[in-house]
Amino acid sequence: MVKRNKWVAGNWKMNLDYSSALELTNNLVANLPGLNGTSVTLCVPAVYLDALKSIVNKNGLIQLAAQNCHSEDKGAFTGEISAAMLKSMDINQVVLGHSERREYFNESNKFLSEKVFKVLSHGLTPIFCCGEPLSVREENKQNEFVTNQLEESIFHLSAEEVAKVVFAYEPIWAIGTGRTASAEQAQEMHAVIRHFFEQKYGAAVAEKLIILYGGSVNASNAATLFSMPDVDGGLVGGASLQANDFLQIISAAANS
Ligand code: 13P
């Protein structure tokens, strides 16, 4: 079996004012535990990327990601940012397809397929989110729902490109609700996702894919979630806004 290093990404969403963002990042850099190969990323509001870059560069152990970008390099898209802009700032990761983008900004699987392609073409790492709403889970159709999201947004990629994507399974009913998927539910879906990629791209690609779990990950449940064989870490919302909580989650990943 391939040993995959863990990943922990904090998704700040639209939270923290400027001075709080600086303070939190300084705190994390100063108190980071031994990582044991764990990757740590902060997905921050784009306006803070440049300032936070000079803080994380102090030890080079934390990466920064944008929370979204457009599928075009430039043009008349007021309010948007492009993968080309991120690349030019030496920002190498970007979240795509978060359920909040899908729901509030009508991002379709097709639009996301264009974004993923563009992000990869600039050599950036997409952190690609998928996950089902509660109504789909209640009908027990979550596997079909999530694999359809992946098929429509990812399957146009080559095996080499897919291998560069980090996936995040985030059941919508567990986001910001305090209601976490059980470790068994997370494992079950992650195994479904890995098997789906295996069928299309082969075992060598599938067994190396990083698949994060997101949805009310916190300092208390992280170790149990991360102990599951197909859960390679977490995409953390609320708990990433508190330095102590986020540091404990990073430790859980590093020790798992
Ligand atoms: P919470 O951890 O606040 O549930 O958010 C999860 C999430 O959406 C991360 O992208």
Side-chain angles (χ1 to χ4, degrees):
M1 215 178 82
V2 169
K3 165 98 176 87
R4 295 181 297 271
N5 284 338
K6 287 283 191 287
W7 267 67
V8 176
N11 179 7
W12 290 3
K13 309 190 180 184
M14 195 173 74
N15 289 300
L16 301 179
D17 65 15
Y18 184 55
S19 64
S20 309
L22 299 179
E23 188 184 324
L24 174 57
T25 308
N26 273 311
N27 192 336
L28 294 172
V29 167
N31 294 296
L32 211 55
L35 293 179
N36 266 331
T38 300
S39 297
V40 178
T41 293
L42 302 179
C43 314
V44 306
V47 285
Y48 300 156
L49 281 167
D50 198 40
L52 300 187
K53 197 170 63 170
S54 55
I55 299 176
V56 299
N57 280 352
K58 284 182 195 159
N59 64 9
L61 296 172
I62 297 179
Q63 310 300 312
L64 293 175
Q67 297 176 5
N68 177 41
C69 71
H70 200 272
S71 59
E72 297 292 329
D73 280 336
K74 62 185 168 73
F77 300 100
T78 300
E80 291 293 307
I81 62 171
S82 72
M85 291 173 182
L86 294 171
K87 182 76 193 165
S88 72
M89 290 177 70
D90 205 21
I91 299 297
N92 297 309
Q93 300 179 15
V94 55
V95 179
L96 294 178
H98 192 279
S99 59
E100 289 147 18
R101 299 289 321 169
R102 295 174 186 264
E103 182 176 353
Y104 305 132
F105 302 94
N106 297 320
E107 295 196 5
S108 65
N109 290 342
K110 167 141 194 332
F111 189 34
L112 291 169
S113 75
E114 291 163 13
K115 291 189 184 204
V116 173
F117 190 74
K118 176 61 73 177
V119 162
L120 286 167
S121 75
H122 283 288
L124 274 61
T125 301
I127 303 172
F128 183 85
C129 305
C130 56
E132 80 286 355
L134 184 58
S135 58
V136 168
R137 171 66 61 165
E138 283 173 345
E139 286 179 32
N140 201 26
K141 296 262 169 60
Q142 63 274 9
N143 294 356
E144 294 89 325
F145 186 93
V146 168
T147 52
N148 181 62
Q149 287 180 322
L150 296 170
E151 188 162 15
E152 292 191 1
S153 296
I154 301 292
F155 271 23
H156 61 305
L157 301 176
S158 69
E160 293 71 33
E161 289 164 337
V162 165
K164 294 177 182 148
V165 181
V166 170
F167 294 91
Y169 168 57
E170 299 207 310
I172 297 169
W173 46 271
I175 295 178
T177 58
R179 181 178 166 186
T180 320
S182 67
E184 290 73 25
Q185 284 173 318
Q187 166 58 27
E188 187 180 19
M189 179 59 83
H190 285 222
V192 165
I193 293 170
R194 202 177 299 285
H195 182 62
F196 193 59
F197 280 108
E198 183 179 343
Q199 287 173 314
K200 167 89 176 169
Y201 293 100
V205 171
E207 66 189 8
K208 290 199 197 105
L209 288 183
I210 300 294
I211 310 175
L212 311 179
Y213 169 77
S216 298
V217 176
N218 60 40
S220 311
N221 61 26
T224 310
L225 286 160
F226 300 166
S227 71
M228 303 312 280
D230 286 294
V231 177
D232 303 311
L235 181 54
V236 185
S240 72
L241 299 171
Q242 306 291 336
N244 285 346
D245 289 7
F246 195 55
L247 288 166
Q248 284 181 55
I249 294 168
I250 294 168
S251 289
N255 296 322
S256 66

